[in-house]
């Protein structure tokens, strides 16, 4: 499994490493949706800082946003932080956020450079 899943009191952190692809995204998403406290989550942090290769397309981010739209009503006030310093990954994250906003997801989004920046934002 190319990711680690960490439950916290109010949120989930998913740390990806190595090569990241749509299949990995889907597996982590399904695990997230199945989490016993899913409906109480205040934040979700997707940490791509240890990803060495990004193999996801804009079309695949569109599919991810469609999946998230379907469950977003169960988490209407959730904050989603996406951590990366890589330019390509930032572009894919921005594309995903734009697609979510076009679908009227009520989530709040942040692309952060570090986990510390994401934590400050999720705690505010």
């Amino acid at each position: 499994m190319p990711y680690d899943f960490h439950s916290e009191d109010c949120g989930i952190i998913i740390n990806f490493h190595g090569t990241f692809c749509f299949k990995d995204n889907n597996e982590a998403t399904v695990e997230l949706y199945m989490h016993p406290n899913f409906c109480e989550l205040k934040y979700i942090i997707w940490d791509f800082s240890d990803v060495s290769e990004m193999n996801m397309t804009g079309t695949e981010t569109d599919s991810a946003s469609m999946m998230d739209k379907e469950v977003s009503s169960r988490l209407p006030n959730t904050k989603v932080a996406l951590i990366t310093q890589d330019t390509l990954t930032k572009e894919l994250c921005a594309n995903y956020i734009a697609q979510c906003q076009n679908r009227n997801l009520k989530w709040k989004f942040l692309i952060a450079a570090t986990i510390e920046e994401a934590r400050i934002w999720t705690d505010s």
Side-chain angles (χ1 to χ4, degrees):
M1 173 178 359
Y3 63 89
D4 302 307
F5 199 87
H6 305 281
S7 296
E8 298 185 343
D9 288 340
C10 297
I12 299 288
I13 300 175
I14 306 168
N15 301 96
F16 294 93
H17 43 86
T19 301
F20 179 82
C21 65
F22 188 57
K23 178 180 175 280
D24 301 330
N25 179 77
N26 287 349
E27 288 174 4
T29 299
V30 168
E31 188 172 342
L32 174 67
Y33 293 167
M34 307 265 309
H35 190 274
N37 297 330
F38 179 74
C39 291
E40 287 100 42
L41 295 177
K42 302 293 182 216
Y43 62 86
I44 304 164
I45 299 174
W46 296 78
D47 186 353
F48 300 105
S49 56
D50 289 330
V51 169
S52 58
E53 184 177 349
M54 180 59 75
N55 287 334
M56 196 160 167
T57 66
T59 302
E60 291 169 332
T61 62
D62 187 46
S63 294
S65 71
M66 280 191 291
M67 287 174 49
D68 289 342
K69 173 61 178 175
E70 292 185 23
V71 300
S72 65
S73 63
R74 293 172 44 201
L75 289 173
N77 299 312
T78 302
K79 292 183 174 183
V80 178
L82 307 158
I83 302 173
T84 185
Q85 294 182 355
D86 176 72
T87 303
L88 172 62
T89 306
K90 282 182 191 176
E91 289 173 8
L92 286 170
C93 290
N95 187 35
Y96 163 76
I97 291 168
Q99 291 164 345
C100 287
Q101 291 170 336
N102 287 341
R103 289 187 165 81
N104 296 314
L105 267 79
K106 302 300 182 204
W107 294 349
K108 296 176 185 162
F109 293 96
L110 173 73
I111 298 174
T114 65
I115 187 72
E116 293 81 12
E117 181 183 349
R119 285 196 176 280
I120 290 168
W121 180 72
T122 57
D123 290 342
S124 64

